[in-house]
Amino acid sequence: MMMTGRQYLDSLDDGRRIYLDGRRVDDIAAEPLFEAATRWVASGYDANHRPGDGAAGPYYDVPASPEDLRGQLELLLGWDMVTVTTAQGLLALLTAAARMRGTHPGYARRIEDYFDHCKERDLRCVQAITDAKGNRRLPPSKQDDPDLYTRIVERRPDGIVVRGAKLHISAAAICHELVVMPTKMMKPGEEDWAVACAIPVGAPGVKIVNTTYAPRAEEEHFPYSSRYNMPEGFVVLDDVFVPNERVFLCGETEYSATFAHSLGLWERLGGSAHLAEGGDLLVGLAQLIAEANGLERVPHIKDKIAEMIIYATLTRAGLEAAIANAKKTPEGWVYPDELFTNAAKHYGAAEFSLMVRHLHDIAGGGVLTAPSMNDLRSSEVGPFVEKYMRTMDGVPAEHRMRLFHAIRDITADAYGGWQLVTMIQSGGGLYAQRLVVAKHYDMARAKRLGLAAAGLPDEEAG
């Protein structure tokens, strides 16, 4: 049965241990710095709600064709972050199940049962993957503290006990479930660290320490991030018991990277969709502020906007190629092409900061120094702000100021800083995408082309 927004907010009152700025947050929905985030998620519940025992949201749909996949991505762009991570994370689990079914059918069945459990209860999940890692030069078994990678500390007949921490977990405090998975490939001898499981946020032993880029000032000064923000969770797993039915990997090192690879595929697909949409947003802001400043015909401004258009178009082209070349599983559903998905995400993320730089260069210093909207309304200084912030007939001060504030909020303030890092790191850093691209690229064909050009025989292309 699907939840309403009100039911979602009530469901957060489950005794979970949430911390912010050194204090425990007892009422999640009433916390001012969580208010926009919980309101955003609750509005998504209301927007998708349908009555009836068999009803389920579109975020639980499993695509059976490239058209289904494209349709879901179009919907995804309008979902809140928690719903996006739920859809991507559960598809990643199903992908891992498909890859493990031949040798571990029991794990595959548990994953499918868990998918049904979340779907039937309309739960929201986030993926907890990044470990503390300690000394990055050392593997888990060589750390001076074995808990620096999340591990199994006890195996019982009815389940396991896990200990560790998961970092950078967006929206962990306001979801229902944590899907824990290994951060990387584990080797023989590292079986205790090869663990994947699902844990309710309110389970004993779970503590979440939060940071947030939610603005602490007037909403008008932060037109985007005041409405769309999420807490970032530092998730502590302090000897948390997990029953067998929620354990998806328990020591099988050969599958320890399967979950991360599966999650990376779906996160990078969603990331590419957001980068393509974000590219169009940057283009729109650049064109609007250029026109407001009277500079839209200046050659270097036109050239920068053209480059931004190419960026947005190529990112979207990579996304479309990933969908058009989707592969079908034996179960009958599809997943995006690995090569195009990773190439699109890498290109979009690697060039994003340059597009932001172009936008700042086009807009000028007003991005940082434009007065607030309260100054515009002031009886004492408002007339001066109005007089000197306008540029020409049809471009009043308010129009230009709101553009400046939107550009600053989205690209040059707390949310903008968060986004610059997130574009690189979401779905794994750029190096991870390069590895997958190299693995799936048809190098043999490329070598054959080179041999043919050099007049050498094909047999050397192996």
Side-chain angles (χ1 to χ4, degrees), residues 213 225 352 408-421:
Y213 55 86
S225 63
F352 179 79
R408 174 191 44 74
D409 188 18
I410 293 170
T411 65
D413 218 312
Y415 173 80
W418 173 88
Q419 185 171 231
L420 279 174
V421 176

Side-chain angles (χ1 to χ4, degrees), residues 94-117:
L94 292 179
T95 303
R99 295 173 178 177
M100 298 170 65
R101 192 181 309 280
T103 54
H104 294 283
Y107 285 146
R109 283 194 298 272
R110 288 181 186 177
I111 288 172
E112 289 164 347
D113 288 345
Y114 178 69
F115 179 93
D116 291 339
H117 167 79

Side-chain angles (χ1 to χ4, degrees), residues 188-406:
E190 297 175 344
E191 287 77 9
D192 286 346
W193 293 274
V195 56
C197 58
I199 299 173
V201 172
V206 176
K207 300 178 178 67
I208 303 177
V209 182
N210 292 271
T211 58
T212 178
Y213 55 86
R216 273 78 164 173
E218 59 169 293
E219 290 188 4
E220 276 190 314
H221 203 61
F222 298 89
Y224 189 88
S225 63
S226 63
R227 293 176 293 148
Y228 305 112
N229 62 67
M230 281 289 154
E232 296 291 336
F234 183 111
V235 179
V236 178
L237 304 172
D238 186 21
D239 289 4
V240 179
F241 175 73
V242 185
N244 283 328
E245 63 268 22
R246 293 291 180 263
V247 177
F248 311 136
L249 190 73
C250 186
E252 294 81 7
T253 56
E254 67 274 22
Y255 284 106
S256 55
T258 299
F259 291 86
H261 290 165
S262 300
L263 179 61
L265 174 62
W266 289 101
E267 280 197 342
R268 290 163 196 167
L269 182 74
S272 298
H274 283 289
L275 282 163
E277 193 78 357
D280 289 336
L281 172 61
L282 295 182
V283 170
L285 288 170
Q287 184 66 33
L288 287 166
I289 197 63
E291 292 173 359
N293 288 339
L295 298 173
E296 70 273 19
R297 292 187 177 89
V298 174
H300 84 89
I301 299 290
K302 292 171 65 177
D303 188 57
K304 288 181 174 67
I305 292 176
E307 188 174 346
M308 295 171 75
I309 291 170
I310 291 169
Y311 164 83
T313 303
L314 287 179
T315 303
R316 192 171 298 279
L319 173 67
E320 287 294 325
I323 296 169
N325 291 278
K327 308 295 189 295
K328 183 160 281 193
T329 71
E331 292 83 358
W333 51 275
V334 300
Y335 61 93
D337 179 84
E338 298 256 15
L339 175 63
F340 287 114
T341 298
N342 282 271
K345 174 59 170 61
H346 185 283
Y347 172 75
E351 299 299 316
F352 179 79
S353 61
L354 177 58
M355 300 306 113
V356 171
R357 191 183 85 185
H358 285 340
L359 176 58
H360 292 167
D361 197 23
I362 292 165
V367 167
L368 295 180
T369 63
S372 74
M373 303 310 295
N374 283 337
D375 292 322
L376 180 62
R377 288 188 285 265
S378 166
S379 60
E380 293 187 33
V381 298
F384 295 103
V385 174
E386 173 64 47
K387 176 180 173 67
Y388 294 113
M389 285 302 295
R390 67 174 292 279
T391 54
M392 66 192 82
D393 288 343
V395 185
E398 181 176 354
H399 176 85
R400 190 160 170 254
M401 290 169 65
R402 287 192 182 278
L403 286 174
F404 279 139
H405 291 318

Side-chain angles (χ1 to χ4, degrees), residues 148-196:
L148 292 174
Y149 285 78
T150 299
R151 66 186 180 114
I152 303 167
V153 294
E154 184 180 355
R155 289 172 169 83
R156 302 177 184 173
D158 56 345
I160 60 174
V161 176
V162 297
R163 182 189 302 160
K166 293 292 187 178
L167 281 54
H168 327 309
I169 314 304
S170 300
I174 62 171
C175 72
H176 300 110
E177 296 272 324
L178 303 167
V179 180
V180 175
M181 54 186 70
T183 196
K184 65 175 186 175
M185 181 71 181
M186 300 298 171
K187 300 175 182 177
E190 297 175 344
E191 287 77 9
D192 286 346
W193 293 274
V195 56

